[in-house]
């Protein structure tokens, strides 16, 4: 708390942030991140592609590209970003500070890539969009990726996404490569939830983290936006609609490398209010020197428990159907029919709002559903 000019007090993020010596990435990794990575590694053909591409990826070329055509952050260039980067590495106790570059691109974005050593890249669009505390959370997010070892798989995803057509010579064929791309995207979406948590540990200002995510969705118009209303969107997204909407949500997210921003904000807000986060802030967290003794089966159990809780507590209609199946619902067919046609007419019924909308946008119609 600091004294304001009118004699009152206002909340200003402290420059003396808590540090986490020896912290293990297990402290902040989302259970879905760990389980998705395990599933990715078990994907048929992944080891072959990984070993092949690890020797072929032009990492040196990538580093030279950023060195030659971007601005390297240092104590002489983008000094405020350099201070944030060093501060983030200090807080998460990352011994070697990764090189960081600012790349000219109006699209707000940041990434941590590299096979041998991570490189952090932020775009000018992101630098211009965020204020200091929001940017601090983003840099902490990328340092979290580096500490978790995500850069290797992010680099593979970047390469395979951009050059999938050029790797048709791989014995697995293009179909298998695209299956691996899909699995990589699924893992990376989960890894973003982990890195958001790392960003909060670095910035230690949940409102700044929320604002940053909100700006990624709606641009630099804070005077027109509200964090609580933004989180209400996430609630509506998670619980609204019927089974058709549940399927559309899955289809919408499949081609994306990042989760939707409202979902990220809701997940981070939930973690910030959890006992796990408070224990870390109090200095009670897993250490890196304990990683070698970590039980793989314990990690599996944690992931399974997380997914079970997600299904049990989810308001999504599809998850409700999964609960009914697990609980042995008697009239499952009727339940499915009622869920799909809730709020609209069933086949054979006359009239109804949903039926009218479907008719307007059906074959030959001019509405969105006909496109």
């Amino acid at each position: 708390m600091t004294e304001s000019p009118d004699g009152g007090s206002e909340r200003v993020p402290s420059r003396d942030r808590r540090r986490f010596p020896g912290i293990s990435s297990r402290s902040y990794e989302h259970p879905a991140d760990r389980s998705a990575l395990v599933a990715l590694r078990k994907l048929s053909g992944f080891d072959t592609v990984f070993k092949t591409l690890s020797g072929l990826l032009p990492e040196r070329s990538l580093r030279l590209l950023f060195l030659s055509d971007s601005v390297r952050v240092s104590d002489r260039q983008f000094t405020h970003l350099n201070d944030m980067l060093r501060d983030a590495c200090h807080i998460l106790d990352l011994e070697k500070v990764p090189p960081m570059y600012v790349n000219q691109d109006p699209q707000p974005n940041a990434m941590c890539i590299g096979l041998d050593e991570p490189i952090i890249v932020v775009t000018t669009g992101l630098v211009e969009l965020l204020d200091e505390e929001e940017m601090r959370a983003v840099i902490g997010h990328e340092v979290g990726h580096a500490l978790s070892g995500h850069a290797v798989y992010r680099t593979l995803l970047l390469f395979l996404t951009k050059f999938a057509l050029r790797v048709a010579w791989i014995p697995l064929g293009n179909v298998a490569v695209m299956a691996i791309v899909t699995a990589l995207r699924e893992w990376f979406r989960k890894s973003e939830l982990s890195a958001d948590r790392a960003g909060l540990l670095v910035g230690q200002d949940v409102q700044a983290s929320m604002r940053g995510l909100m700006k990624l969705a709606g641009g630099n118009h804070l005077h027109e936006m509200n964090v609580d209303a933004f989180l209400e969107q996430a609630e509506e997204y998670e619980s609204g609609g019927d089974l058709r909407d549940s399927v559309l949500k899955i289809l919408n997210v499949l081609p994306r490398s990042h989760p939707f921003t409202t979902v990220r904000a809701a997940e981070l807000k939930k973690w910030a209010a959890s006992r796990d986060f408070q224990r870390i802030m109090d200095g009670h967290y897993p250490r890196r020197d304990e990683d070698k003794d970590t039980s793989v089966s314990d990690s599996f159990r944690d992931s399974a428990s997380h997914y079970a809780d997600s299904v049990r507590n989810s308001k999504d209609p599809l998850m409700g159907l999964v609960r009914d199946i697990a609980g042995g619902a008697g009239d499952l067919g009727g339940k499915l029919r009622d869920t799909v046609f809730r709020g609209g007419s069933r086949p054979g019924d006359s009239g109804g709002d949903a039926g009218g909308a479907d008719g307007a946008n059906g074959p030959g119609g001019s509405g969105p559903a006909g496109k």
Side-chain angles (χ1 to χ4, degrees):
M1 302 284 284
T2 60
E3 192 79 4
S4 65
D6 61 2
S9 60
E10 59 183 6
R11 295 194 62 82
V12 176
S14 170
R15 299 298 170 185
D16 185 20
R17 291 173 176 81
R18 184 176 297 277
R19 184 171 179 258
F20 308 104
I23 190 171
S24 167
S25 60
R26 290 182 291 119
S27 303
Y28 58 81
E29 283 173 347
H30 195 283
D33 173 11
R34 291 196 294 269
S35 59
L37 190 55
V38 168
L40 172 67
R41 288 168 175 162
K42 288 181 176 294
L43 184 67
S44 176
F46 177 75
D47 282 346
T48 304
V49 172
F50 181 79
K51 290 173 183 176
T52 303
L53 291 183
S54 293
L56 295 175
L57 283 177
E59 183 175 15
R60 293 179 67 88
S61 174
L62 203 60
R63 290 175 182 276
L64 288 172
L65 178 64
F66 288 118
L67 189 64
S68 64
D69 205 30
S70 301
V71 175
R72 183 165 59 189
V73 172
S74 68
D75 56 3
R76 293 185 296 164
Q77 300 187 118
F78 288 102
T79 55
H80 71 295
L81 297 182
N82 187 56
D83 290 341
M84 290 184 208
L85 175 63
R86 296 178 67 85
D87 187 45
C89 292
H90 179 70
I91 289 173
L92 294 181
D93 200 16
L94 189 65
E95 186 174 342
K96 187 170 184 179
V97 179
M100 179 170 162
Y101 294 89
V102 176
N103 181 246
Q104 171 60 32
D105 186 343
Q107 183 73 25
N109 198 11
M111 59 181 175
C112 180
I113 56 175
L115 296 178
D116 297 326
E117 295 182 356
I119 304 172
I120 295 174
V121 181
V122 297
T123 65
T124 51
L126 188 70
V127 174
E128 292 162 7
L129 177 66
L130 303 182
D131 68 24
E132 181 177 344
E133 295 307 319
E134 295 157 6
M135 194 69 200
R136 188 183 300 278
V138 168
I139 291 176
H141 173 112
E142 298 305 328
V143 170
H145 276 313
L147 183 58
S148 290
H150 291 161
V152 172
Y153 299 102
R154 179 68 173 104
T155 307
L156 285 176
L157 176 59
L158 186 68
F159 182 85
L160 287 174
T161 301
K162 288 189 173 183
F163 303 107
L165 294 178
R166 300 184 186 180
V167 294
W169 52 268
I170 293 179
L172 295 167
N174 255 358
V175 173
V177 171
M178 290 313 298
I180 291 173
V181 167
T182 301
L184 275 166
R185 282 178 177 152
E186 169 63 17
W187 159 74
F188 191 71
R189 287 191 294 269
K190 300 300 188 289
S191 77
E192 286 294 286
L193 302 178
S194 297
D196 283 343
R197 294 176 174 187
L200 179 58
L201 290 177
V202 167
Q204 298 174 24
D205 181 356
V206 68
Q207 287 301 313
S209 293
M210 294 292 111
R211 290 197 312 269
L213 289 169
M214 193 165 61
K215 282 184 175 180
L216 289 176
N220 193 13
H221 304 283
L222 275 181
H223 62 291
E224 298 283 356
M225 297 187 286
N226 179 279
V227 170
D228 291 334
F230 188 64
L231 290 171
E232 287 170 10
Q233 287 181 227
E235 172 70 15
E236 182 179 344
Y237 174 80
E238 290 289 351
S239 60
D242 54 27
L243 280 177
R244 292 169 296 184
D245 294 308
S246 299
V247 173
L248 288 173
K249 290 174 189 177
I250 295 171
L251 295 177
N252 284 341
V253 82
L254 280 178
R256 294 174 58 93
S257 61
H258 288 60
F260 293 117
T261 47
T262 57
V263 174
R264 290 172 64 183
E267 283 280 343
L268 187 60
K269 184 81 171 179
K270 189 188 308 178
W271 188 68
S274 71
R275 178 171 172 77
D276 289 341
F277 174 71
Q278 191 55 56
R279 282 181 57 80
I280 296 173
M281 295 303 295
D282 290 341
H284 305 295
Y285 51 83
R287 262 64 174 182
R288 256 169 268 167
D289 56 13
E290 302 166 352
D291 284 351
K292 62 182 183 299
D293 301 320
T294 303
S295 167
V296 175
S297 59
D298 286 346
S299 296
F300 282 147
R301 276 195 295 270
D302 289 345
S303 298
S305 175
H306 162 75
Y307 278 113
D309 288 342
S310 297
V311 172
R312 185 162 51 248
N313 299 321
S314 175
K315 298 177 182 178
D316 186 275
L318 183 58
M319 292 299 101
L321 186 61
V322 170
R323 286 195 298 270
D324 288 339
I325 294 172
D331 182 18
L332 188 57
K335 177 94 176 159
L336 176 60
R337 181 195 61 221
D338 291 341
T339 306
V340 170
F341 292 102
R342 181 184 299 142
S345 60
R346 301 181 186 180
D349 290 349
S350 60
D353 293 336
D358 289 344
N361 294 326
S366 59
K371 295 181 180 179

